[in-house]
């Protein structure tokens, strides 16, 4: 009860700081960060959760680290394999321990990192740390288990990535990037089919990147700090660092609009995708919160763009606005539209470009900007009402920045962004030469065109 009250008190105190020079810290819970001698960074966050803890191990590896086309989805496969056994803990051993403590265990992969997280009672801390440390050092599985996981990765691709939506985005990443590892390649499926033969190459990927100096550990909850530090030092401390650093080729600046088309071999509604290249995430760059605010002001279901396309002109079934869009390196701010008729494609483009032009030419009002910021601030603060939400609020800003104070630094800029900043940022990035346009037509529309 005391924790919840402190959040609302904090929210009340913040209410007078809309554009103040000194913005209070947005993350209200005490935290401590330090680095082990082997390079692993550790963040400890105290949160009153009646003896419950969430630990989040972030491995800095994603599609950004894969050499295309040879290492396509190695990161995805590694996420699967990490739930297999290790030298000292079989799957059965792990399941027995997890059942004993009632552990919730999950993982996910993004473009720049992979995250493994578990929710458990604090008494399980040492046993669970032993398991994860052993996975980082001594991953072990049979050849049949390896082939089963490669089959799972292939199955996911065939199940999800052959839909019209996925074909559209696949094409986007094939043409919007030419050298950076974020790019996709036409031979994606063929490479996945050969993955069962690449056991040694996959394990070499594991040995290079699943190392303590490429990992960050965030522990949030109700725990004894001194005891947790002892456990971390005891089990993660002896792990050996890697000297391998990825050689990531940077994408050259885009100099003109890129266009692509997908001919879908089946019946489907036509689709239009429009993406703008935006900068890589930098917690000290005011353009980052400016882009977030552009999204909130102009790319939502309440925006003039949505109203024109869906309600006024009735040209599209729906508009999917960008959700996750920042990466460590320049990435894409993508809007996808499902059209009712193929013959309306040019009209939909025209409306989209007209509304985007307005962002670059017109200033938003201070009142509207403040309204959105106050709403988001309220949502974030009141959203930290559980252990899991608090852990993810912190790591959402920590994943890309690598800065334990990333939440607070971001919002210092966020609350100081002006209408002029938004207009200038839109004028720099939401422009024709920075744009990629992809269309998708089904079999019926292709026949009509012929």
């Amino acid at each position: 009860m005391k924790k919840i009250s402190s959040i609302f008190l904090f929210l009340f105190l913040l209410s007078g700081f809309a554009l103040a020079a000194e913005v209070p810290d947005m993350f209200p819970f005490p935290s401590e960060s330090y680095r082990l001698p082997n390079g692993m960074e550790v963040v400890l966050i105290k949160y009153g959760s009646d003896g419950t803890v969430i630990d989040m191990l972030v491995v800095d590896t994603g599609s950004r680290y894969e050499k295309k086309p040879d290492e396509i989805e190695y990161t995805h496969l590694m996420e699967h394999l990490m739930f297999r056994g290790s030298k000292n803990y079989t799957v059965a051993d792990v399941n027995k321990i997890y059942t004993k403590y009632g552990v919730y265990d999950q993982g996910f992969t993004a473009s720049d990192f992979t995250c493994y997280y578990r929710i458990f009672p604090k008494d399980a801390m040492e046993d669970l740390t032993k398991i994860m440390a052993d996975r980082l050092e001594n991953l072990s599985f049979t050849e049949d288990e390896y082939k089963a996981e490669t089959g799972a990765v292939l199955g996911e691709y065939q199940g999800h990535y052959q839909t019209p939506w996925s074909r559209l985005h696949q094409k986007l990443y094939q043409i919007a990037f030419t050298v950076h590892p974020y790019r996709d390649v036409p031979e994606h499926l063929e490479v996945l089919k050969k993955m069962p033969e690449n056991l040694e190459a996959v394990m070499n990927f594991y040995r290079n990147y699943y190392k303590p100096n490429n990992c960050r550990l965030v522990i949030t909850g109700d725990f004894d700090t001194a005891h947790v530090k002892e456990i971390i030092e005891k089990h993660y401390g002896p792990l050996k660092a890697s000297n391998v650093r990825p050689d990531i080729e940077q994408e050259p600046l885009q100099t003109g609009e890129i266009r692509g088309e997908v001919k879908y071999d089946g019946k489907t509604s036509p689709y239009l995708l429009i993406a703008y290249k935006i900068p890589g995430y930098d917690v000290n760059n005011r353009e980052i919160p400016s882009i977030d605010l552009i999204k909130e002001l102009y790319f939502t279901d309440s925006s003039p763009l949505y109203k024109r396309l869906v309600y006024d002109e009735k040209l599209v079934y729906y508009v999917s606005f960008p959700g996750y869009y920042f990466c460590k390196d320049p990435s894409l701010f993508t809007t996808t539209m499902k059209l009712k008729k193929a013959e309306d494609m040019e009209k939909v483009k025209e409306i989209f470009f007209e509304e985007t032009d307005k962002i670059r030419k017109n200033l938003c009002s201070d009142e509207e900007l403040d309204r959105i910021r106050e709403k988001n601030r309220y949502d974030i603060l009141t959203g930290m009402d559980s252990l899991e939400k608090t852990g993810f609020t912190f790591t959402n800003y920590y994943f890309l920045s690598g800065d334990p104070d990333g939440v607070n630094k971001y919002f210092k800029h966020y609350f100081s962004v002006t209408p002029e900043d938004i207009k200038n940022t839109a004028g720099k990035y939401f422009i024709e030469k920075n744009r990629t346009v992809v269309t998708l037509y089904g079999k019926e529309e292709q026949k009509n065109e012929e």
Side-chain angles (χ1 to χ4, degrees):
M1 196 71 179
K2 186 177 179 182
K3 286 289 183 185
I4 296 175
S5 298
S6 68
I7 291 176
F8 282 98
L9 174 61
F10 184 69
L11 179 63
F12 174 78
L13 292 173
L14 277 173
S15 62
F17 285 92
L19 287 174
E22 292 297 326
V23 179
D25 287 347
M26 274 290 289
F27 193 74
F29 303 105
S31 64
E32 175 185 356
S33 64
Y34 63 99
R35 194 178 295 274
L36 297 178
N38 59 16
M40 177 181 277
E41 187 168 81
V42 180
V43 182
L44 305 178
I45 302 169
K46 297 289 285 185
Y47 180 90
S49 51
D50 296 327
T52 307
V53 175
I54 179 171
D55 74 344
M56 309 175 80
L57 183 76
V58 181
V59 185
D60 286 333
T61 181
S63 62
R64 180 177 186 259
Y65 298 78
E66 297 169 352
K67 297 180 178 67
K68 300 300 190 313
D70 297 339
E71 295 179 349
I72 280 177
E73 297 210 41
Y74 274 23
T75 304
H76 183 189
L77 177 60
M78 278 308 312
E79 182 203 329
H80 282 243
L81 293 172
M82 282 290 284
F83 288 92
R84 290 290 184 173
S86 58
K87 179 180 177 182
N88 298 304
Y89 293 93
T90 65
V91 173
D93 294 332
V94 172
N95 287 341
K96 185 176 180 180
I97 293 170
Y98 281 9
T99 300
K100 173 185 175 182
Y101 292 111
V103 177
Y104 179 78
D105 188 21
Q106 284 292 334
F108 62 89
T109 300
S111 298
D112 300 294
F113 56 84
T114 301
C115 178
Y116 303 93
Y117 67 99
R118 304 172 294 188
I119 302 174
F120 52 88
K122 64 181 179 182
D123 293 345
M125 176 70 73
E126 181 145 27
D127 283 342
L128 299 194
T129 302
K130 286 180 184 178
I131 290 170
M132 187 58 79
D134 202 50
R135 285 176 177 173
L136 288 176
E137 186 86 353
N138 302 303
L139 195 62
S140 178
F141 41 80
T142 67
E143 189 172 343
D144 285 343
E145 288 174 327
Y146 172 77
K147 288 182 178 178
E149 295 302 347
T150 62
V153 171
L154 175 61
E156 286 182 29
Y157 180 82
Q158 291 176 315
H160 299 294
Y161 288 82
Q162 298 305 314
T163 63
W165 177 276
S166 296
R167 288 284 302 280
L168 189 71
H169 287 77
Q170 195 175 31
K171 184 69 172 181
L172 170 66
Y173 280 85
Q174 288 173 4
I175 63 176
F177 295 97
T178 58
V179 297
H180 193 281
Y182 291 152
R183 71 188 175 103
D184 202 349
V185 292
E187 57 266 42
H188 193 129
L189 179 58
E190 295 309 311
V191 173
L192 287 187
K193 288 179 178 178
K194 296 177 182 177
M195 194 178 274
E197 307 165 14
N198 296 342
L199 173 58
E200 185 52 40
V202 170
M203 289 307 294
N204 191 51
F205 190 86
Y206 161 76
R207 287 188 286 265
N208 286 340
Y209 298 124
Y210 273 70
K211 291 296 183 181
N213 55 320
N214 206 43
C215 294
R216 289 170 279 159
L217 177 67
V218 180
I219 297 177
T220 306
D222 179 17
F223 53 80
D224 178 86
T225 301
H227 182 55
V228 167
K229 284 184 174 180
E230 287 177 10
I231 292 172
I232 291 170
E233 177 62 37
K234 180 179 177 182
H235 299 292
Y236 286 120
L239 302 182
K240 294 180 176 60
S242 170
N243 294 322
V244 175
R245 287 290 177 270
D247 182 17
I248 298 169
E249 192 168 0
Q250 293 300 302
E251 188 70 19
L253 286 176
Q254 190 169 320
T255 57
E257 183 184 73
I258 301 169
R259 289 183 177 257
E261 183 179 307
V262 178
K263 293 184 177 181
Y264 187 72
D265 190 22
K267 289 186 68 174
T268 180
S269 298
Y271 283 83
L272 170 64
L273 180 155
I274 300 175
Y276 292 93
K277 197 73 67 66
I278 57 174
Y281 190 87
D282 179 353
V283 74
N284 296 309
N285 182 0
R286 286 165 60 89
E287 292 174 343
I288 301 303
S290 294
I291 290 171
D292 275 339
L293 286 163
I294 286 171
K295 195 275 180 196
E296 292 296 324
L297 285 163
Y298 304 110
F299 293 90
T300 69
D301 291 355
S302 60
S303 64
L305 171 62
Y306 187 90
K307 183 175 180 291
R308 285 186 68 184
L309 290 175
V310 178
Y311 296 123
D312 296 345
E313 302 285 347
K314 296 180 173 58
L315 298 173
V316 304
Y317 287 114
Y318 66 79
V319 183
S320 177
F321 291 111
Y324 171 83
Y325 37 88
F326 285 119
C327 294
K328 286 188 176 180
D329 295 323
S331 56
L332 298 169
F333 185 99
T334 306
T335 303
T336 308
M337 291 149 277
K338 183 178 181 180
L339 280 66
K340 294 181 178 180
K341 299 176 184 177
E343 55 262 35
D344 291 331
M345 185 69 75
E346 293 307 313
K347 179 63 175 176
V348 173
K349 289 181 188 176
E350 180 184 326
I351 291 173
F352 189 97
F353 298 150
E354 284 177 2
E355 292 300 323
T356 308
D357 283 343
K358 293 176 184 177
I359 307 173
R360 299 193 301 268
K361 294 175 181 176
N362 303 326
L363 287 174
C364 64
S365 69
D366 288 319
E367 292 76 18
E368 180 66 4
L369 193 56
D370 287 345
R371 184 190 68 79
I372 288 173
R373 284 195 287 221
E374 287 302 311
K375 176 185 178 298
N376 288 343
R377 174 162 57 190
Y378 179 86
D379 288 345
I380 289 169
L381 287 169
T382 57
M384 288 187 282
D385 59 355
S386 72
L387 176 65
E388 188 172 5
K389 290 179 182 177
T390 300
F392 271 100
T393 296
F394 176 85
T395 49
N396 282 344
Y397 297 91
Y398 178 54
F399 282 147
L400 293 177
S401 70
D403 189 332
D405 198 36
V407 181
N408 297 323
K409 286 183 178 177
Y410 171 85
F411 280 101
K412 290 288 194 294
H413 292 300
Y414 182 83
F415 292 122
S416 66
V417 169
T418 65
E420 287 77 12
D421 290 329
I422 289 173
K423 181 181 176 183
N424 292 337
T425 300
K428 183 175 179 180
Y429 296 105
F430 290 75
I431 53 177
E432 182 178 352
K433 74 172 186 178
N434 224 27
R435 188 167 70 205
T436 301
V437 178
V438 186
T439 55
L440 180 144
Y441 296 97
K443 211 165 190 178
E444 296 271 328
E445 287 81 10
Q446 292 172 43
K447 286 181 180 178
N448 291 338
E449 284 184 350
E450 292 167 3

